[in-house]
Amino acid sequence: VQLQASGGGLVQAGDSLRLSCAASGSSFGNYGIGWFRQAPGKEREFVAAIRWSTGSTLYADSVKGRFTISRDRAKNTVTLQMNSLKPDDTAVYYCAARPWWSVGGMSKPADYDYWGQGTQVTVSS
């Protein structure tokens, strides 16, 4: 599976952005697809994940109510809609995939087998 992340940019606090993760090389089947982010000097942290087959979702507490992860079966794409952005959301955002959904095991980078390149999100105050 090859993953391509896109949609980052520079926005002001309170604005919205939509990130996309497109897959090639395989259909997602029963995959779990996640978004992570990494700010300078910090560890990569979990943002959200979706189970491709059912649409079940999981969110980090820091983004609940502001971010929405969804999938488009026709386009084989996962989208992260980010609203009410804050300066603390500034980071490089990565999408990742693993071949099956694991209850309790979707929030660590080591849980994932495939990674896309990052896309920069910068939120100014």
Side-chain angles (χ1 to χ4, degrees):
V1 175
Q2 291 81 45
L3 303 173
Q4 180 76 31
S6 62
L10 171 63
V11 297
Q12 293 186 332
D15 285 351
S16 299
L17 270 178
R18 179 177 295 178
L19 306 184
S20 292
C21 179
S24 61
S26 177
S27 62
F28 277 138
N30 198 39
Y31 274 54
I33 314 300
W35 283 97
F36 288 77
R37 65 188 182 187
Q38 188 166 20
K42 294 187 177 182
E43 294 186 351
R44 192 167 296 188
E45 66 172 358
F46 172 74
V47 175
I50 188 166
R51 186 174 185 176
W52 185 262
S53 58
T54 64
S56 298
T57 58
L58 183 67
Y59 293 94
D61 288 343
S62 59
V63 306
K64 278 182 183 176
R66 299 189 299 124
F67 291 11
T68 302
I69 189 171
S70 61
R71 73 202 192 298
D72 185 326
R73 292 178 179 272
K75 296 181 180 179
N76 219 35
T77 298
V78 171
T79 297
L80 184 69
Q81 177 67 41
M82 306 186 295
N83 298 330
S84 302
L85 282 162
K86 306 174 182 179
D88 284 349
D89 296 317
T90 295
V92 177
Y93 283 70
Y94 299 88
C95 62
R98 59 174 291 164
W100 61 89
W101 184 263
S102 174
V103 176
M106 298 299 297
S107 62
K108 302 181 187 66
D111 293 331
Y112 292 79
D113 299 292
Y114 307 100
W115 290 84
Q117 91 295 352
T119 184
Q120 177 71 47
V121 172
T122 303
V123 184
S124 63
S125 58

